[in-house]
């Protein structure tokens, strides 16, 4: 049933937001060299890699300088990129991942391989679920970049504090995986973005 709603919502979203996608692509292209989309390998269900779609918010090749983004003042982020990240609109292309069945609207956020390789056997249980665009961790850590900016060692803070807490929150979702929880997280995400 959840897959049914994923398909309906992703198709509706892509159709309704088509003009927004076009406007964002134009702004990205006018603001910096390169395409308007960025595809990054993430680890999905059962540990299988897939290409996660985002609007490009950084200059080309910026991911070679590190995978974590530390605050709004990261020099790699483009002018339009700041706005897209602040409003979470850079995540909209993931509706394509949902339509393809690689992701769900709700589920554990997919991680990059580098950090998945640090998971304990217990933490790897989150890979049994289809990853999602939003989850409890996304709501709690909506300002994750700012938290990392304030840390003395952003990567260590992410690995030792933020990542384990995110996984705990994801396990909570897996324990209560049903349609009610699905819509609850969607509602809480919208509420969080508005506030």
């Amino acid at each position: 049933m959840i897959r049914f709603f994923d398909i309906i919502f992703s198709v509706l979203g892509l159709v309704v937001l088509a003009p927004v996608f076009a406007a964002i692509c134009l702004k990205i292209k006018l603001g910096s060299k390169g395409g308007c989309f960025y595809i990054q390998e993430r680890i999905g269900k059962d540990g299988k890699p897939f290409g996660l779609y985002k609007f490009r918010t950084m200059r080309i090749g910026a991911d070679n300088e590190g995978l974590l983004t530390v605050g709004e003042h990261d020099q790699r982020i483009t002018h339009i990129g700041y706005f897209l990240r602040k409003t979470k609109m850079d995540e909209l292309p993931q509706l394509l991942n949902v339509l393809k069945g690689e992701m769900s609207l709700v589920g554990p956020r997919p991680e990059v391989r580098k950090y998945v390789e640090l998971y304990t056997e217990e933490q790897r249980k989150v890979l049994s679920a289809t990853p999602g665009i939003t989850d409890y961790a996304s709501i709690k850590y909506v300002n994750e970049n700012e938290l990392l900016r304030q840390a003395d060692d952003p990567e260590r803070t992410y690995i030792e504090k933020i990542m384990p807490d995110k996984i705990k929150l994801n396990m909570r979702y897996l324990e209560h995986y049903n349609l009610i929880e699905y819509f609850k997280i969607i509602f809480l995400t919208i509420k969080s973005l508005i506030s």
Side-chain angles (χ1 to χ4, degrees), residues 67-164:
L67 295 172
L68 295 177
T69 311
V70 288
E72 292 184 4
H73 303 292
D74 192 314
Q75 298 300 311
R76 300 171 298 167
I77 302 175
T78 63
H79 183 70
I80 182 68
Y82 286 114
F83 171 76
L84 294 175
R85 283 171 173 260
K86 188 80 173 172
T87 59
K88 303 296 180 186
M89 290 176 76
D90 62 318
E91 311 281 356
L92 289 176
Q94 287 160 48
L95 290 171
L96 292 166
N97 291 115
V98 174
L99 189 59
K100 290 169 67 177
E102 297 165 330
M103 293 178 69
S104 172
L105 285 181
V106 177
R109 284 295 295 163
E111 247 323 341
V112 294
R113 187 182 299 276
K114 175 182 177 180
Y115 297 121
V116 171
E117 287 175 352
L118 300 175
Y119 285 5
T120 64
E121 198 60 40
E122 181 68 18
Q123 290 173 331
R124 290 187 72 84
K125 289 179 181 176
V126 298
L127 300 177
S128 66
T130 301
I133 293 179
T134 187
D135 59 1
Y136 285 121
S138 300
I139 297 165
K140 180 174 180 179
Y141 289 101
V142 69
N143 293 322
E144 179 183 315
N145 293 341
E146 286 305 309
L147 293 174
L148 293 173
R149 183 178 65 83
Q150 295 165 16
D152 293 331
D153 185 340
E155 183 150 39
R156 186 174 176 183
T157 298
Y158 183 76
I159 292 169
E160 294 181 2
K161 294 181 180 176
I162 295 175
M163 188 174 78

